[in-house]
Amino acid sequence: MRSRFALILGLLLASAVGAPAAAQEGNALSPRVLDEAALPGVMAKAVDDFIIPGYRELSQVTTALSEASAALCKVPSDAALQTTRSAFSDVVQKWSTIEIVRLGPALEQNRFERFLFYPDRKSTGLKQVQAILAKGDKSATRAESLKMKSVAVQGLGALEYVLYGTGAEALSSKQGDFRCRYGVAISQNLKAIAGEFLAEWEKPDGIQAAWKKPGLGNPLFRDNREAATELLGVLVHSVEMIKDQRLRPFYAGAISGKQDKGHPKLAIYWRSGSTMAAVSGNFRGLQRLFDTAGMENLLPADSRSIAGSVNFLFKALISAADRVDGPIDAALTDDRHRAKLDFIALNTADLLDRLNRDFGGAIGLGAGFSFADGD
């Protein structure tokens, strides 16, 4: 019954969105050429209206998290713990929106992995965090020495365990003093990394200049085609990430076509109950990038319906993810929520196809262009 319901939802959505671009456009077989005039403006808006504001918001919420963590250690209480957990959720939400920009400064100095080490397939990070707590490693309570340790013990995953893992209830009293100071060091580390992201993108002669002015002598993009490939690649790689790293590990369901009871402890942020909020944040970030950058303007006039299809899918996926609320283990025991997960999985795959094949083909990157392989 559940699978049938998800299939019906998928068919309804497919009908509303419409057929793939190759079927929509009467001259789909004619050569497509990138709108060279529109590209620089789109790249500039991506930087000025999405990337920099996104990192600015991340910097603000990590600062608030650092302050809340410090206040918890100073005067521990149930209320202070809840305030800190709420601040953690705010960081997860803002990070999920901007983490799709996994390039440039995010790849330097292991910043991305230091902020979020995931997936932790062999529970390596978990074991390292547990060892720090068990041994009372004082070097983990100072941000300057913590950042020299394994990437797995200094980011959001480690802080989630501190705030929600076994023994976290001690944080509401002085008995959790060491654990709390370790949490403060992590939050200060997150604040510092968020500040580095923002500073690197705000440099007028840094990566933002490379994004805004493709051409000879540009260290990143020799021409507009390379810039367009990078920008669309952000969306394609991120949708692939959601499908393969956020959904598949804990629920293969509609992806595999087999019955799947689910594996909640493989889901990101499962302890804090933020799994689907993070997925929703990923989709919100992608839609915000697509719309604020004006990526529709890269499409030929006779292919603008592709942008409408993409936005329809974004809205449907965000709405579905928002309705799978609460702990993911509880959601996996609820047929209605599992139907929504099937719906999300099926239509995430459809979104990937529309971005990769339809949008990419329409702006001259070639139908079937593989961003993952660089073909």
Side-chain angles (χ1 to χ4, degrees), residues 211-281:
W211 268 54
K212 293 178 179 180
K213 297 179 181 179
L216 296 178
N218 186 313
L220 296 181
F221 313 124
R222 293 168 296 179
D223 54 38
N224 286 335
R225 180 184 173 87
E226 289 187 357
T229 300
E230 179 84 325
L231 179 59
L232 184 54
V234 169
L235 276 77
V236 171
H237 287 311
S238 296
V239 175
E240 287 178 331
M241 178 273 292
I242 295 169
K243 179 172 70 72
D244 296 333
Q245 294 186 14
R246 296 299 188 264
L247 298 174
R248 188 187 296 272
F250 78 87
Y251 185 67
I255 300 175
S256 66
K258 300 178 181 178
Q259 289 295 321
D260 181 10
K261 294 182 179 179
H263 309 277
K265 290 186 178 181
L266 296 181
I268 192 169
Y269 309 124
W270 68 269
R271 289 184 176 86
S272 58
S274 298
T275 300
M276 296 310 296
V279 171
S280 175

Side-chain angles (χ1 to χ4, degrees), residues 37-290:
L39 194 279
V42 171
M43 296 294 286
K45 288 180 180 178
V47 173
D48 294 336
D49 299 340
F50 174 74
I51 296 176
I52 291 178
Y55 281 130
R56 187 172 294 123
E57 291 176 353
L58 183 65
S59 180
Q60 292 168 350
V61 293
T62 52
T63 296
L65 174 62
S66 178
E67 293 172 351
S69 299
L72 171 63
C73 292
K74 186 175 181 179
V75 184
S77 67
D78 289 336
L81 176 56
Q82 288 306 118
T83 297
T84 305
R85 285 175 169 174
S86 178
F88 172 84
S89 296
D90 290 343
V91 172
V92 168
Q93 190 66 45
K94 295 301 183 183
W95 168 251
S96 298
T97 301
I98 196 63
E99 74 166 313
I100 64 173
V101 186
R102 192 168 183 171
L103 47 80
L107 300 181
E108 298 167 358
Q109 301 178 25
N110 293 322
R111 288 190 182 101
F112 190 97
E113 288 76 14
R114 289 170 56 214
F115 204 98
L116 175 64
F117 178 73
Y118 183 87
D120 184 9
R121 294 185 176 89
K122 297 183 179 180
S123 298
T124 303
L126 173 61
K127 293 173 184 175
Q128 292 176 353
V129 170
Q130 290 173 329
I132 286 174
L133 292 172
K135 296 176 182 178
D137 181 359
K138 293 183 179 179
S139 65
T141 63
R142 299 186 298 274
E144 60 272 17
S145 51
L146 178 63
K147 69 180 183 181
M148 305 303 294
K149 293 182 178 293
S150 164
V151 297
V153 303
Q154 55 177 292
L156 284 176
L159 185 55
E160 184 188 35
Y161 188 83
V162 168
L163 293 175
Y164 295 90
T166 303
E169 63 278 0
L171 290 170
S172 61
S173 69
K174 282 298 183 181
Q175 291 181 343
D177 181 64
F178 174 81
R179 188 183 191 114
C180 194
R181 287 187 289 120
Y182 175 34
V184 170
I186 298 173
S187 66
Q188 291 173 341
N189 187 57
L190 293 171
K191 174 185 174 181
I193 298 170
E196 291 171 8
F197 283 136
L198 180 59
E200 290 297 317
W201 276 97
E202 283 185 329
K203 290 179 180 177
D205 58 348
I207 188 171
Q208 69 159 279
W211 268 54
K212 293 178 179 180
K213 297 179 181 179
L216 296 178
N218 186 313
L220 296 181
F221 313 124
R222 293 168 296 179
D223 54 38
N224 286 335
R225 180 184 173 87
E226 289 187 357
T229 300
E230 179 84 325
L231 179 59
L232 184 54
V234 169
L235 276 77
V236 171
H237 287 311
S238 296
V239 175
E240 287 178 331
M241 178 273 292
I242 295 169
K243 179 172 70 72
D244 296 333
Q245 294 186 14
R246 296 299 188 264
L247 298 174
R248 188 187 296 272
F250 78 87
Y251 185 67
I255 300 175
S256 66
K258 300 178 181 178
Q259 289 295 321
D260 181 10
K261 294 182 179 179
H263 309 277
K265 290 186 178 181
L266 296 181
I268 192 169
Y269 309 124
W270 68 269
R271 289 184 176 86
S272 58
S274 298
T275 300
M276 296 310 296
V279 171
S280 175
N282 290 151
F283 283 126
R284 288 179 195 277
L286 289 167
Q287 184 179 36
R288 189 180 301 173
L289 172 59
F290 188 82

